[in-house]
């Protein structure tokens, strides 16, 4: 009796979780399930995005009947299985529901639901970037062993480095990570290993290169290690770059400045040849992870489902290059350090902080000082409230106490006049703008707001938490919001999203980039999508060499500099702000305030704005520098630090705070958003 009761309770628990999984699939993926048995099942938690390999899932479902197809969409936490007969689906539904599946190091619990049909649009095959060639099995097993043995990692010299994410050794010439170039007057004592000569001769004979390389960089990656996206410095090396993969396969991602990304599987003993556009314009990098998504060697079933997970091993790459002694004259000046003018990038980008003290210094330099300097210009681009934020504010009961933590120019403080509102911001210049507009505001850090615990009915934090440079500080910012709330109170949080294209729709941020390139004028856009749209083309064309995960040839471990209005390649980055604009009759001489219509001054040009708060004798901040634009004018460029959030990251952050629940979460024009309620 007790055993039967326990089984009944267990069955009810599985059913409840299975129904919850079905609801999640419908809400986030639009997948409709049915209670009536069919031949097809959707397997929640059994996807490639959960770390489940195709082989392991197929082994689990194949024992219940003949599998007609197994579809595992890339990066998704679910899969579809269709049996030849309905009886197979019935058995799998009855016996696999709520059962654990071990796949490699991952253990997941499967929840299966019937679906009437499996609808999936196959991804179009994407060709390689222009100029990219992959030659599989370029060297034999014997040659691979000889080449790996030729690298003596035990010898310590200036050309061998233990970098944060990999081991590196240089031959011929040392690549300098402090200036991202080569000291061409100081060749290393030893040239390239003799074992490399037959391989290079074969490259010449096969027409893969027309010059013999004289520089070699050997990188060794353990499982879970990678290299940030980058473009090899134009002025350092000639056109052709040869990269030999030894020991294990990996996936290298190539990304175009317009956001297109192409993953390329590099099998062991393969040779990658980069020329032309693929060498000069596209970034290439390897994401740090222990598993790669690769085509299955022998797809078991289905014509469109041959993807699986490949566990990484220790991979050693031999990258051969030819030193360049003349300036580069390639056809990609926007990405060429030989052809560029004054760079819009800081001379020495900072590193990601490793402690609390470093984080406060980074945020002081690349957040607080920047917003004080650009406050007037920033305010003129921030006058359109987000509709979803307005809806949240309008839904609050009259008389509710609202605090806007990180209120900026105060545009949300007057949305609902029936609320009692107060705002705070770290920037005294922005607080001054709010005060001049008649709002109740004060200067405060978002980590320590001088208001009583449980004193507010609602809090909003719009485009603030992504400026904190460590996980601990982002978590502390959420905790501070929760502390301010009364029991039952709500908080709305917006952060900038890594995914600027979501559900096959580009955000306004990316669409405005397309409009600019088509000669169209951008309409004003809200929050982090807002920016000074009339940037000269020298800034909007991608500078792909600045990308550590979004950077290019930067000092190892330093932050990337993002190219405005392009897709993100990194979560931690610096975003340029080009300060410009001239005053018209509607503006006061010193403040650059709103016109009488409350609209930003549309008459921007490329001359330097007087909005900056730097006094004539103040020292320039490392976070800004002057950039020359066509016509000879100069504009100061400031760089703001951001941590852009990946899907699910904001919810995961919030669930670490006790005493709250996530009421809802959504993606809004390139931002991840949550509504929290204090229990």
């Amino acid at each position: 009796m007790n055993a039967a009761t326990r089984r009944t309770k267990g069955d009810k628990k599985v059913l409840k979780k299975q129904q919850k999984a079905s609801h999640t699939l419908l809400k986030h993926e639009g997948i409709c399930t049915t209670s009536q048995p069919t031949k097809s099942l959707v397997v929640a938690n059994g996807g490639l995005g959960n770390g489940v390999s195709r082989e392991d899932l197929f082994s689990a479902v194949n024992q219940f009947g003949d599998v007609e197809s197994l579809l595992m969409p890339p990066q998704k936490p679910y899969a579809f299985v269709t049996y030849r007969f309905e009886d197979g689906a019935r058995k799998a539904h009855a016996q696999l529901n709520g059962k654990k599946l071990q796949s490699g190091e991952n253990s997941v619990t499967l929840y299966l639901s019937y679906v009437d049909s499996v609808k999936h649009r196959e991804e179009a095959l994407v060709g390689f970037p222009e100029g990219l060639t992959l030659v599989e099995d370029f060297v034999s097993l014997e040659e691979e062993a000889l080449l790996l043995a030729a690298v003596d990692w035990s010898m310590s010299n200036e050309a061998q480095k233990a970098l944060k994410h990999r081991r590196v050794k240089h031959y011929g010439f040392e690549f300098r990570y402090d200036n991202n170039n080569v000291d061409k007057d100081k060749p290393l004592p030893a040239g390239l290993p003799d074992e490399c000569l037959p391989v290079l001769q074969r490259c010449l004979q096969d027409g893969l290169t027309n010059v013999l390389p004289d520089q070699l960089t050997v990188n060794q990656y353990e499982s879970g290690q990678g290299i940030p996206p980058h473009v090899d410095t134009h002025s350092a090396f000639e056109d052709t770059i040869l990269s030999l993969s030894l020991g294990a396969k990996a996936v290298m991602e190539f990304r175009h400045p317009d956001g297109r990304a192409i993953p390329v599987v590099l099998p062991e003993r393969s040779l990658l040849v980069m020329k032309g556009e693929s060498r000069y314009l596209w970034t290439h990098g390897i994401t740090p992870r222990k598993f790669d998504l690769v085509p299955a060697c022998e797809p078991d079933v289905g014509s469109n489902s041959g993807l699986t997970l490949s566990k990484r091993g220790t991979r050693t790459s031999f990258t051969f290059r030819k030193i360049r002694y003349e300036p580069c004259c390639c056809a990609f000046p926007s990405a060429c350090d030989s052809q560029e003018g004054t760079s819009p990038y800081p001379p020495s980008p900072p590193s990601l902080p490793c402690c609390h003290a470093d984080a406060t210094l980074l945020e002081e330099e690349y957040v607080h000082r920047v917003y004080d300097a650009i406050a007037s210009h920033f305010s003129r681009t921030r006058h359109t409230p987000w509709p979803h934020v307005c809806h949240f504010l309008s839904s609050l009961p009259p008389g509710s106490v609202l605090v806007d933590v990180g209120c900026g120019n105060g545009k949300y403080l007057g949305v609902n006049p029936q609320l009692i509102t107060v705002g705070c911001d770290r920037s005294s210049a922005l607080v001054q703008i709010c005060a001049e507009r008649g709002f109740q505001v004060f200067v405060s850090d978002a980590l320590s707001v001088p208001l009583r615990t449980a004193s507010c009915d609602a809090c909003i934090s719009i485009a603030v938490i992504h400026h904190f440079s460590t996980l601990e500080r982002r978590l502390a910012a959420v905790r501070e919001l929760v502390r301010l709330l009364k029991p039952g109170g709500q908080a709305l949080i917006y952060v900038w999203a890594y995914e600027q294209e979501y559900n096959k729709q580009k955000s306004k941020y990316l669409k405005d980039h397309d409009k600019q390139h088509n000669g169209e004028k951008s309409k004003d856009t809200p929050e982090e999508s807002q920016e000074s749209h009339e940037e000269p083309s020298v800034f909007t064309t991608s500078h792909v060499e600045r990308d550590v995960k979004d950077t290019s040839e930067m000092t190892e471990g330093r932050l990337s500099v993002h190219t405005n209005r392009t897709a993100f390649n990194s979560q931690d980055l610096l975003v340029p702000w080009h300060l410009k604009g001239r005053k018209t009759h509607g503006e006061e001489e010193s403040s650059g305030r709103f016109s009488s219509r409350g609209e930003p001054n549309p008459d921007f040009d490329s001359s330097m704005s007087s909005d900056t708060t730097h006094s004539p004798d103040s020292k320039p901040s490392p976070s800004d520098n002057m950039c020359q634009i066509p016509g000879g004018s100069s504009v100061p460029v400031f760089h703001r630090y951001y941590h852009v959030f990946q899907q699910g990251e904001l919810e995961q952050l919030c669930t670490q705070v006790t005493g709250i629940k996530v009421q809802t979460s959504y993606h809004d024009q390139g931002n991840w958003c949550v509504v929290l309620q204090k229990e």
Side-chain angles (χ1 to χ4, degrees):
M1 184 69 177
N2 290 337
T5 304
R6 285 197 296 272
R7 283 196 299 272
T8 302
K9 288 182 178 179
D11 291 342
K12 287 182 178 180
K13 185 177 180 181
V14 169
L15 178 61
K16 185 176 180 181
K17 290 193 174 183
Q18 183 246 345
Q19 291 173 339
K20 183 178 179 181
S22 296
H23 177 73
T24 301
L25 288 169
L26 177 62
K27 179 180 178 182
H28 295 288
E29 301 291 339
I31 298 172
C32 296
T33 61
T34 178
S35 59
Q36 298 300 317
T38 67
K39 294 197 301 180
S40 299
L41 296 163
V42 59
V43 186
N45 293 338
L48 295 168
N50 284 84
V52 176
S53 75
R54 175 181 170 77
E55 294 80 5
D56 289 334
L57 183 60
F58 181 77
S59 177
V61 299
N62 192 47
Q63 58 185 309
F64 301 106
D66 294 335
V67 175
E68 196 172 82
S69 69
L70 176 61
L71 174 64
M72 302 183 74
Q75 314 300 336
K76 296 296 184 180
Y78 56 84
F80 296 97
V81 56
T82 299
Y83 288 88
R84 186 178 179 186
F85 301 108
E86 188 180 292
D87 184 61
R90 286 175 178 268
K91 290 178 180 178
H93 186 276
Q95 298 186 45
L96 273 185
N97 238 320
K99 295 296 189 293
K100 288 189 178 295
L101 173 66
Q102 190 73 31
S103 183
E105 299 174 359
N106 298 310
S107 178
V108 297
T109 303
L110 305 179
Y111 294 101
L112 291 76
S113 299
Y114 295 110
V115 290
D116 286 323
S117 62
V118 177
K119 296 179 180 179
H120 176 69
R121 183 178 63 85
E122 288 192 49
E123 297 293 328
L125 293 176
V126 180
F128 280 4
E130 185 177 341
L132 189 70
T133 303
L134 180 67
V135 184
E136 296 191 28
D137 296 315
F138 189 75
V139 296
S140 66
L141 286 167
E142 292 75 16
E143 288 176 310
E144 178 183 44
L146 285 173
L147 290 166
L148 290 173
V151 183
D152 188 356
W153 294 106
S154 64
M155 293 180 61
S156 178
N157 56 52
E158 293 182 358
Q160 180 175 324
K161 298 186 180 296
L163 299 179
K164 184 178 180 181
H165 301 296
R166 63 192 188 277
R167 286 204 295 181
V168 177
K169 193 164 187 176
H170 302 289
Y171 294 90
F173 293 83
E174 180 183 2
F175 184 81
R176 297 271 305 275
Y177 292 101
D178 56 349
N179 63 7
N180 305 301
N181 216 308
V182 174
D183 194 337
K184 301 167 186 177
D185 297 324
K186 295 182 180 179
L188 296 172
L192 275 59
D194 293 338
E195 291 82 353
C196 297
L197 190 57
V199 176
L200 297 177
Q201 290 290 356
R202 197 183 315 148
C203 291
L204 285 168
Q205 293 167 9
D206 294 349
L208 299 174
T209 182
N210 56 9
V211 294
L212 196 64
D214 54 8
Q215 195 274 338
L216 166 63
T217 298
V218 181
N219 286 286
Q220 188 175 85
Y221 307 86
E222 300 293 338
S223 177
Q225 295 181 330
I227 186 171
H230 64 282
V231 173
D232 287 49
T233 310
H234 290 205
S235 63
F237 307 110
E238 295 286 353
D239 187 359
T240 304
I241 295 175
L242 307 169
S243 183
L244 196 61
S245 295
L246 305 175
K249 73 171 64 172
V251 172
M252 178 175 284
E253 184 179 78
F254 284 78
R255 187 175 289 272
H256 190 275
D258 63 11
R260 283 178 289 153
I262 299 177
V264 178
V265 180
L266 305 178
E268 48 269 61
R269 301 186 302 283
S270 66
L271 179 71
L272 188 70
V273 184
M274 289 181 280
K275 294 182 180 180
E277 184 177 306
S278 68
R279 179 266 187 267
Y280 287 125
L281 188 60
W282 292 66
T283 63
H284 61 277
I286 297 176
T287 303
R289 56 190 173 213
K290 294 187 176 181
F291 289 86
D292 282 316
L293 191 63
V294 301
C297 296
E298 296 180 359
D300 299 294
V301 287
S303 60
N304 60 353
S305 54
L307 291 175
T308 188
L309 296 176
S310 173
K311 186 175 182 179
R312 284 191 188 170
T314 299
R315 173 179 174 268
T316 304
S317 67
F318 281 54
T319 302
F320 300 96
R321 296 171 286 205
K322 175 68 176 176
I323 298 297
R324 183 191 294 277
Y325 290 96
E326 299 294 334
C328 178
C329 300
C330 69
F332 309 97
S334 66
C336 183
D337 62 317
S338 291
Q339 301 178 61
E340 68 180 353
T342 304
S343 170
Y345 299 99
S348 180
S351 300
L352 195 63
C354 57
C355 64
H356 175 77
D358 288 346
T360 56
L361 290 174
L362 173 69
E363 292 161 20
E364 172 64 26
E365 191 64 54
Y366 289 91
V367 180
H368 306 154
R369 291 186 185 180
V370 173
Y371 277 105
D372 273 339
I374 69 173
S376 295
H377 186 200
F378 176 86
S379 180
R380 290 200 302 272
T381 69
R382 295 300 191 276
H383 64 93
T384 305
W386 280 81
H388 286 291
V389 180
C390 292
H391 176 75
F392 174 83
L393 297 175
S394 300
S395 70
L396 298 174
S400 296
V401 177
L402 168 75
V403 60
D404 185 348
V405 179
C407 61
N409 67 354
K411 70 179 180 181
Y412 291 116
L413 294 176
V415 166
N416 186 352
Q418 295 183 307
L419 303 178
I420 301 170
T421 60
V422 63
C424 63
D425 200 280
R426 183 62 174 74
S427 167
S428 57
L430 285 171
V431 166
Q432 179 63 29
I433 291 173
C434 290
E436 291 171 356
R437 298 177 68 188
F439 297 126
Q440 298 296 320
V441 290
F442 56 90
V443 177
S444 173
D445 193 298
L447 299 182
S448 181
V449 180
L451 294 175
R452 291 198 316 272
T453 297
S455 60
C456 306
D457 298 292
C459 299
I460 60 173
S461 171
I462 312 300
V464 175
I465 293 177
H466 52 217
H467 285 309
F468 288 105
S469 55
T470 65
L471 173 62
E472 291 76 13
R473 292 169 69 78
R474 294 189 285 272
L475 185 60
V478 177
R479 285 199 177 106
E480 185 66 355
L481 291 174
V482 174
R483 182 189 69 81
L484 296 173
L485 288 175
K486 298 177 181 177
Q490 293 180 311
L492 174 65
I493 300 175
Y494 267 56
V495 293
W496 212 357
Y498 179 88
E499 297 84 357
Q500 288 297 304
E501 185 168 348
Y502 183 68
N503 281 346
K504 302 177 184 177
Q505 293 291 323
K506 287 185 177 181
S507 69
K508 183 74 172 172
Y509 182 72
L510 295 184
K511 285 180 179 177
D512 279 350
H513 176 271
D514 297 337
K515 286 183 179 181
Q516 290 174 7
H517 281 264
N518 291 330
E520 297 179 34
K521 279 285 186 179
S522 299
K523 295 181 180 178
D524 185 70
T525 55
E527 298 316 328
E528 293 311 331
S529 297
Q530 291 177 322
E531 179 59 270
S532 182
H533 300 307
E534 295 76 22
E535 296 175 10
S537 61
V538 68
F539 296 142
T540 55
T541 50
S542 176
H543 213 291
V544 292
E545 291 160 40
R546 298 288 180 174
D547 242 290
V548 153
K549 276 191 164 180
D550 189 34
T551 191
S552 58
E553 302 300 328
M554 275 196 179
T555 303
E556 181 75 19
R558 295 197 179 275
L559 287 174
S560 63
V561 177
H562 175 59
T563 300
N564 285 335
R565 303 208 175 279
T566 62
F568 294 119
N569 294 331
S570 167
Q571 284 192 265
D572 297 283
L573 39 82
L574 301 178
V575 177
W577 180 281
H578 304 275
L579 186 67
K580 53 189 178 294
R582 65 166 177 251
K583 293 173 290 299
T584 59
H585 293 298
E587 290 185 291
E588 294 187 13
E589 181 64 24
S590 61
S591 66
R593 297 175 189 167
F594 281 79
S595 68
S596 58
R597 296 168 299 176
E599 295 292 317
N601 177 9
D603 193 21
F604 289 130
D605 69 2
S606 58
S607 61
M608 189 174 81
S609 170
S610 62
D611 294 340
T612 176
T613 58
H614 289 303
S615 61
D617 59 348
S618 67
K619 295 181 180 180
S621 164
S623 58
D624 69 85
N625 58 302
M626 302 297 291
C627 290
Q628 206 73 19
I629 64 172
S633 299
S634 297
V635 294
V637 180
F638 297 81
H639 295 86
R640 297 170 292 165
Y641 167 81
Y642 283 86
H643 172 85
V644 289
F645 281 63
Q646 290 185 333
Q647 183 173 6
E649 184 179 351
L650 180 57
E651 294 94 323
Q652 186 178 16
L653 181 73
C654 294
T655 55
Q656 296 181 56
V657 180
T658 57
I660 61 164
K661 62 179 179 180
V662 178
Q663 277 195 322
T664 184
S665 61
Y666 56 95
H667 187 272
D668 189 10
Q669 281 296 332
N671 292 265
W672 289 117
C673 325
V674 296
V675 176
L676 308 177
Q677 184 170 42
K678 189 170 184 178
E679 296 175 349

